[in-house]
Amino acid sequence: MIAFEDLPAGRIIPLGEVIVDRDDMVDFAKKFDPQPFHLDEEAGRNSIFGGLSASGWYTASLWMRRWVDVVLADSTSQGSPGGRELSWLAPVYAGDKLTFAAEVLNARLSKSRPSLGLVEFAGTAHRGEELVYKFVATGMFTARGR
């Protein structure tokens, strides 16, 4: 089980790869971000994206799924108070292979709740060498034996 002590500053956690599925991408957009360039090939071609593109929220959801599968599902996670610096740096398209990771930026025990650790991390998605998504967030993890 992953606990606060397992997440020191500097640790990089590979989260694996996902190939973006067109139907899943469009279904997500229909439900949560129904902008034309996320729904329709022609609208996408006529947009600044030059083709049907994924919602940034869809890319964020793909990252989150990998974070849960690799880290949170077997951890002492107590949720998150939020994040900052959310950036969609390049459009994502159906068929893209995205590689996800998290880098621990800093970690400290809470002053008011010393059994709770606050872990700030940067989440990223790359298409090849190109960074397409990045954000910074804080996760809360309980410490062992406290």
Side-chain angles (χ1 to χ4, degrees):
M1 178 165 292
I2 297 170
F4 169 74
E5 293 83 355
D6 301 313
L7 300 167
R11 180 172 177 193
I12 296 174
I13 304 167
L15 301 176
E17 298 175 340
V18 171
I19 295 178
V20 177
D21 180 84
R22 183 198 181 283
D23 292 340
D24 190 46
M25 180 180 92
V26 171
D27 286 346
F28 181 95
K30 285 177 185 176
K31 292 177 188 172
F32 303 110
D33 191 359
Q35 296 181 75
F37 43 80
H38 296 323
L39 299 171
D40 178 75
E41 298 281 350
E42 185 175 344
R45 278 192 302 279
N46 292 324
S47 75
I48 63 169
F49 304 117
L52 182 67
S53 65
S55 165
W57 297 112
Y58 176 73
T59 304
S61 296
L62 293 175
W63 186 93
M64 186 66 194
R65 180 59 201 228
R66 297 304 307 152
W67 178 241
V68 170
D69 289 349
V70 175
V71 176
L72 298 185
D74 189 25
S75 77
T76 63
S77 174
Q78 300 297 301
S80 170
R84 57 187 172 84
E85 297 181 32
L86 175 65
S87 299
W88 293 295
L89 302 162
V92 169
Y93 304 103
D96 283 354
K97 180 164 59 169
L98 302 180
T99 303
F100 300 105
E103 179 180 0
V104 178
L105 301 175
N106 61 66
R108 66 174 179 83
L109 289 173
S110 168
K111 292 175 184 161
S112 61
R113 301 175 97 181
S115 65
L116 186 67
L118 301 168
V119 178
E120 184 180 51
F121 61 90
T124 59
H126 284 83
R127 175 181 47 229
E129 296 295 317
E130 182 181 21
L131 181 64
V132 298
Y133 170 67
K134 181 179 180 182
F135 72 102
V136 176
T138 299
M140 300 181 294
F141 295 83
T142 56
R144 289 191 184 94
R146 289 191 178 251

